[in-house]
Amino acid sequence: MNSNLLKQARGEIEADLVLKNGRVVDVFNERINKLDVAIADGIIIGIGSYKGQREIDLQEKILTPAFIDGHLHLESTMTNVKDFAQQVISLGTTTVVADPHEIANVIGLEGIRYLLDAGLALPWNFNLMLPSCVPPTKFDNSGAVLKAEDLEELITAEGVFGLGEVMDFTGVINGKKDMWEKLSLFDDSFIDGHAPELTAKELNAYLLGNIKADHECTTPQEALEKISKGMYVMIREGSVTRDLARLLPAVNEKNSNRFLFATDDRHPGDLIDEGHINFLIKKAVKQGMDPLQAIKLATINSAEALGLDNIGAIAPGYKADLVLIDDLKNFNINRVFKDGRLVARDGKFILDSVQKEQTSINKNSKIYNSVNIGKIEKSDFILPVGDKYRVLELSKDQIISRESTVSLTSQQLTSSKLVNENLVKLAAVERHKKTGNVGLGLLKGLGLQTGAIATSIAHDSHNIIVAGIDTEDMILAVKEIEKLQGGIVITNGGQVVDKLPLPIAGLMSDESLVEIAERLDSLKDTAFSLGVTHKEPFMTLSFMSLPVIPELKITDKGLFSVKDFQFVPLVIE
């Protein structure tokens, strides 16, 4: 230990920096104290009464630990890592736990290394999980396969934190060899969970994999059972899946330390208009949670759940990652400190502070050339003959799609009949290996009345998913995505009417967060003009191909029942 730091902590010499006249949040006792905070070498060396070589008057504003996002996917913001980081840091989030399984399912280790290098070049605590499920399942085609020995190449790399969300819960429960090889590899690290609606003895078996947390709870009952069995529950508030209001009734004085916040997937517009973890705190308070308890869920609870012992509190030995807010009602961000250095003021990132150079990407690399579609034909998008069909039915504010049925004769499968039934054709088109695979289904609840919408963001294998009324418009949208090498495309009447290129693995843009948000607003307006009723139509569509989320999904190989864990025919009779 540096003796100079000890002298500063004892108050024998002036501290390097002292934050004075602040109301300091004590997350351990859930109270606020008027204290000085002394900082040196990027850590808090004392709280109490101090003098500093440099002093900052906080003018009785509230000083909290900086916020932590326990689980997110950088790719879901659709922007580059630098712009995302600057946005969330300016909103008080200085620690993220990022799972790169989106880009890994497209281009494997190359994609992971890209995000890792970009993340480590920025002034935040960047923790990267190595994805556990590449491919996510055997029920669709992805662009890469990562086994335990592949992950082992990166396990000791700077910034690598643990094993990403374990979505293959059936593989864990049934002792699947390659899944357990990955679990064993990360036995001494944090292992994140993904177990929607898993309960009783199956949950018991799942937890033998040393899986620590879950962000897929959607009811208080589910959360309470998982907590009773030793898990931490991440209260997720993303752009599509908004679980916070549903889960808060599960939080009480006896179990509140087992809950933490996570965003999972948030779109650029929501990051700009609503915020990041600061938004979750504000929303929790509006829902009736005590403000200091909400701050705990965003700070010390997250740190303790994740096993990060030097962040999440304002106490000696902790990193000086701090947020200054005006009050406990509005939570307006006044200043953000990272390692004791000012990195944001009044919600704006200070560009010349601690910024490192980022590695440029070779435009000829696979990262920029990831869309490879095989031969597709009109017949691939025409519904088969039948009298009764299975339907994916959307659930409001959830990525769950329920299974229902519709009785329609082949003669009734007209555009007008689909519109009257609030149905669209839904297809998943393989885009990695030129297989020409097209899975076909029906989707209820999107509201689209004409044209087609396609996106190369289709969790988690990220094939192309397209919803439409007209077959020709669906094909045109898919081919335009291939031309762009990824993106979101809207077609109508045989024309491309709006689009957003996403050339980085077909998932992300190299434009700024603000520019992407503006483009997405335009795309949404176009979609709404065509009848779409969902607030987040593109993200909603992107989850319709995820065969680990109940109940019915679509992959490039066909319709998949998550409940029965097998493919099922579109035509019932």
Side-chain angles (χ1 to χ4, degrees), residues 272-320:
I272 293 169
D273 297 337
E274 294 179 341
H276 194 236
I277 295 296
N278 64 317
F279 171 70
L280 275 67
I281 297 172
K282 285 191 286 187
K283 185 167 182 176
V285 173
K286 286 181 180 178
Q287 293 286 327
M289 178 174 276
D290 179 84
L292 295 181
Q293 188 177 70
I295 289 172
K296 284 187 68 174
L297 265 66
T299 58
I300 192 63
N301 283 16
S302 298
E304 291 182 345
L306 297 164
L308 298 167
D309 58 7
N310 63 347
I311 61 171
I314 302 175
Y318 282 70
K319 285 188 175 186

Side-chain angles (χ1 to χ4, degrees), residues 55-186:
E55 297 182 349
I56 298 176
D57 186 354
L58 302 185
Q59 300 176 331
E60 298 197 357
K61 291 183 171 64
I62 296 171
L63 191 68
T64 81
F67 310 139
I68 302 166
D69 191 336
H71 172 79
L72 62 83
H73 303 286
L74 291 165
E75 305 95 314
S76 295
T77 67
M78 291 183 275
T79 190
N80 59 81
V81 180
K82 175 184 171 184
D83 266 66
F84 171 77
Q86 291 180 352
Q87 178 69 14
V88 301
I89 291 168
S90 72
L91 298 172
T93 303
T94 63
T95 300
V96 298
V97 179
D99 186 334
H101 73 216
E102 318 294 359
I103 199 168
N105 269 295
V106 178
I107 48 177
L109 291 178
E110 183 180 350
I112 297 173
R113 289 190 178 98
Y114 159 67
L115 289 188
L116 188 59
D117 291 344
L120 290 174
L122 293 151
W124 58 356
N125 303 316
F126 184 69
N127 304 286
L128 194 79
M129 309 293 280
L130 295 183
S132 65
C133 297
V134 178
T137 70
K138 63 182 179 181
F139 305 111
D140 55 359
N141 284 294
S142 68
V145 175
L146 295 180
K147 298 182 178 180
E149 55 263 35
D150 300 310
L151 300 183
E152 198 167 9
E153 288 185 31
L154 287 175
I155 197 168
T156 59
E158 180 187 359
V160 170
F161 183 67
L163 185 65
E165 55 180 310
V166 181
M167 297 180 290
D168 186 7
F169 50 83
T170 59
V172 177
I173 292 166
N174 295 310
K176 187 178 172 185
K177 183 175 180 290
D178 61 345
M179 188 70 254
W180 275 89
E181 285 174 349
K182 294 173 185 175
L183 292 170
S184 299
L185 188 63
F186 289 86

